[in-house]
Amino acid sequence: MSTTSETAMRWSRLLSARRIRYDGSVEPHVTDEPPLRTDFQRDADRILFSPAFRRLKDKTQIFPLPENDLIHSRLTHSNEVAVIGRSLGFAVGREIAARHSEDPARSWAQDCADVVCAACLSHDIGNPPFGHSGEDAIGRYFRSDGAKSLLRNAGFDDRQLLDLARFEGNAQGFRILTRLHDEPRQGMRLTAATLGAFSKYPREAGDELTDPSTVFLRKPGFFQSERLIFATVAEEVGLVRCPTASLSFVRHPLAYLVEAADDIAYCILDLEDGLRLNLVPRHKGLEALRAVAEQTPHFSAPLDEESDDAVEYLRARSIKQLLIETQQAFMDCETSIMAGTQRQGLLDVVPSSQLLRSIRGLSETYCYNSRSVLEIELAGYRLLGELLGELVPAAVKTAAERCVHEQKLLRLLPRVPDDPTAYERVLRVTDFISGMTDSYAVSLYRKLRGISLPGSVRW
């Protein structure tokens, strides 16, 4: 993949405030009257008040169904990512205005901060229950021989099959933000800038695009059902097209900040959770945090390292240092980012990158592979696969072909799949499954299996 400087992106276009409808059309620009907030702040508000965002409260970050209220859920994680991203966007926007003498009448720092904040709020909105094991469960079901045969016979093409076999929470998130929320009224109608910054992987599914060495080509970022919508977003903000037959683009520059904010949050705060749960050996966790934190100006070592205050102080200082390094890394890489030739994420090139790898190693060893996490993830993995095994065969059939049992099953969905194609009907099932909270998924599974019935007596 290569691009040229003649095709480099422009900041004035990248921060387009025009809103995108779920049919791929661009909404005429209307300002708030009275002007209470900016267009990009309206994006954040729409995301924050959406049911899909609220459900993140009961979705796994790392530790499924935690009993400790201080442990992160997807909701608290998303809010913290938004705070980190807002700071990064503000710092970068200020530098952009100074470096390029951009329109002085525009608040570049505020606009960049608001766009990154909104995109960060929504970055996990499409994740299914039980974290990444939920994504794996959905993809594994559709990669099974039985499911592939079922979908082939129903007329699915190669890319539609790959949408499901490589099910990706980012693509589901784009679908929620552009189509599913308030669907009868043209969707959430976010600005093109926010949708562009949200899209870490601006490409459709396809074997020819698998490229682990280029950060934005590692995964698909939208389904075939939203292909036209994404093309509209890319055109509106001026993303550079990759030279492939598939629909793929280079990443919106602010998506690098969204990714960095997410990585900073999960890297530092997952370790903090591990320390709170006494999973990570205290001396190892504090030493790893201190190695990053002590680089900040005016650092002073905690007096009592046995207290939770020490962990919180080192966590805060570590995040501050990573903010400083990430902002500088973005400005150092701006030319390649704007040209679409930046292949690495920002945290791969910051001075503390090796220290971050050490922190991730601790989390992987002591948190992600802890017995409690593995047990619930494995149970959730099986649970989602079995629910799909019930619902998908029913959705593939037309209404006239379904038996009474299949008709009843599909009435469990918020919207009975009556879409014109089998592909669109199956997507309604994955919408339902991925939209579940951890608790609801467990509850529904128990009811369908007769383990727990509504109103039943417990002996």
Side-chain angles (χ1 to χ4, degrees):
M1 185 207 72
S2 64
T3 58
T4 64
S5 58
E6 286 76 19
T7 60
M9 295 172 280
R10 301 196 310 274
W11 280 110
S12 56
R13 191 170 174 187
L14 288 164
L15 293 178
S16 169
R18 299 182 73 189
R19 299 189 175 277
I20 309 300
R21 292 173 170 168
Y22 81 157
D23 60 0
S25 63
V26 180
E27 189 172 276
H29 187 261
V30 178
T31 57
D32 248 358
E33 292 294 341
L36 301 174
R37 55 202 168 149
T38 69
D39 287 299
F40 306 129
Q41 288 167 350
R42 290 170 68 192
D43 285 348
D45 293 348
R46 292 181 183 191
I47 294 162
L48 189 69
F49 283 97
S50 69
F53 183 77
R54 203 172 308 147
R55 291 190 193 102
L56 295 177
K57 177 180 182 295
D58 188 18
K59 287 197 177 186
T60 295
Q61 171 58 16
I62 294 300
F63 300 100
L65 306 171
E67 296 179 1
N68 186 326
D69 289 338
L70 295 178
I71 301 306
H72 290 84
S73 67
R74 287 282 172 185
L75 183 68
T76 50
H77 167 74
S78 297
N79 280 316
E80 289 171 351
V81 172
V83 171
I84 294 170
R86 184 182 61 201
S87 297
L88 285 172
F90 188 85
V92 164
R94 185 171 51 193
E95 291 292 320
I96 288 167
R99 178 177 287 188
H100 299 293
S101 299
E102 294 284 2
D103 181 3
R106 181 171 193 168
S107 177
W108 292 93
Q110 188 64 58
D111 282 351
C112 287
D114 291 341
V115 168
V116 176
C117 179
C120 285
L121 276 175
S122 58
H123 82 282
D124 273 348
I125 205 166
N127 280 28
F130 306 111
H132 291 297
S133 67
E135 283 180 310
D136 293 341
I138 296 172
R140 183 182 177 88
Y141 168 78
F142 286 109
R143 289 193 298 272
S144 68
D145 291 340
K148 285 193 292 187
S149 176
L150 178 71
L151 301 184
R152 283 286 188 198
N153 291 336
F156 281 54
D157 64 33
D158 289 343
R159 293 199 190 278
Q160 290 172 343
L161 287 170
L162 286 172
D163 279 349
L164 298 166
R166 296 178 184 167
F167 182 85
E168 171 58 40
N170 289 281
Q172 184 65 28
F174 188 80
R175 180 170 164 82
I176 290 169
L177 296 178
T178 57
R179 182 184 296 273
L180 298 183
H181 177 83
D182 201 11
E183 192 169 6
R185 295 196 301 165
Q186 301 291 335
M188 200 176 289
R189 307 187 329 277
L190 301 182
T191 64
T194 292
L195 291 171
F198 167 85
S199 301
K200 290 167 61 176
Y201 308 107
R203 47 152 288 203
E204 64 184 339
D207 288 320
E208 75 281 8
L209 280 173
T210 302
D211 181 7
S213 66
T214 300
V215 66
F216 55 83
L217 293 180
R218 290 175 183 167
K219 303 175 183 179
F222 55 90
F223 299 130
Q224 291 302 295
S225 53
E226 284 71 55
R227 194 177 191 272
L228 174 61
I229 305 173
F230 193 87
T232 301
V233 172
E235 171 65 24
E236 180 61 30
V237 298
L239 298 187
V240 176
R241 179 85 182 257
C242 294
T244 64
S246 304
L247 189 66
S248 61
F249 299 86
V250 304
R251 184 184 271 181
H252 189 293
L254 294 182
Y256 284 94
L257 298 183
V258 175
E259 178 184 60
D262 183 25
D263 290 349
I264 290 170
Y266 87 73
C267 188
I268 301 300
L269 295 164
D270 287 358
L271 182 64
E272 181 185 19
D273 283 351
L275 287 166
R276 285 189 182 278
L277 293 173
N278 296 316
L279 293 173
V280 178
R282 194 169 185 85
H283 70 283
K284 290 186 178 181
L286 292 180
E287 182 180 345
L289 287 175
R290 189 188 303 108
V292 179
E294 65 186 7
Q295 301 175 68
T296 57
H298 314 299
F299 173 81
S300 59
L303 297 176
D304 179 11
E305 293 198 345
E306 296 303 314
S307 69
D308 286 339
D309 289 344
V311 177
E312 293 174 7
Y313 173 75
L314 292 175
R315 175 255 294 156
R317 282 282 167 171
S318 296
I319 291 175
K320 179 176 182 178
Q321 178 61 24
L322 293 172
L323 285 172
I324 295 169
E325 293 184 16
T326 302
Q327 182 263 342
Q328 187 59 53
F330 184 96
M331 298 314 299
D332 290 344
C333 298
E334 190 206 1
T335 299
S336 60
I337 288 172
M338 295 297 285
T341 58
Q342 178 66 24
R343 299 172 69 88
Q344 294 177 286
L346 296 177
L347 291 195
D348 293 323
V349 299
V350 296
S352 293
S353 59
Q354 185 57 50
L355 297 176
L356 288 174
R357 281 191 281 273
S358 298
I359 290 175
R360 290 191 190 104
L362 287 175
S363 294
E364 288 172 5
T365 300
Y366 296 105
C367 299
Y368 309 157
N369 293 315
S370 67
R371 185 179 182 86
S372 62
V373 169
L374 293 175
E375 286 175 344
I376 295 181
E377 282 190 346
L378 288 170
Y381 192 89
R382 178 177 178 180
L383 179 159
L384 295 184
E386 292 191 22
L387 288 176
L388 286 165
E390 293 273 0
L391 293 166
V392 170
V396 165
K397 298 178 181 179
T398 63
E401 295 171 332
R402 293 171 195 144
C403 67
V404 173
H405 175 69
E406 290 169 332
Q407 292 171 6
K408 290 180 178 179
L409 270 176
L410 293 181
R411 289 194 192 110
L412 294 173
L413 278 63
R415 166 177 171 165
V416 176
D418 56 0
D419 301 78
T421 69
Y423 168 70
E424 291 166 323
R425 295 196 296 273
V426 170
L427 284 181
R428 296 295 178 180
V429 173
T430 56
D431 293 340
F432 177 55
I433 295 290
S434 62
M436 292 178 177
T437 63
D438 293 6
S439 298
Y440 179 78
V442 172
S443 175
L444 180 63
Y445 176 80
R446 289 171 62 87
K447 290 173 182 175
L448 292 180
R449 288 290 175 267
I451 301 169
S452 171
L453 294 174
S456 60
V457 176
R458 293 189 177 184
W459 296 92

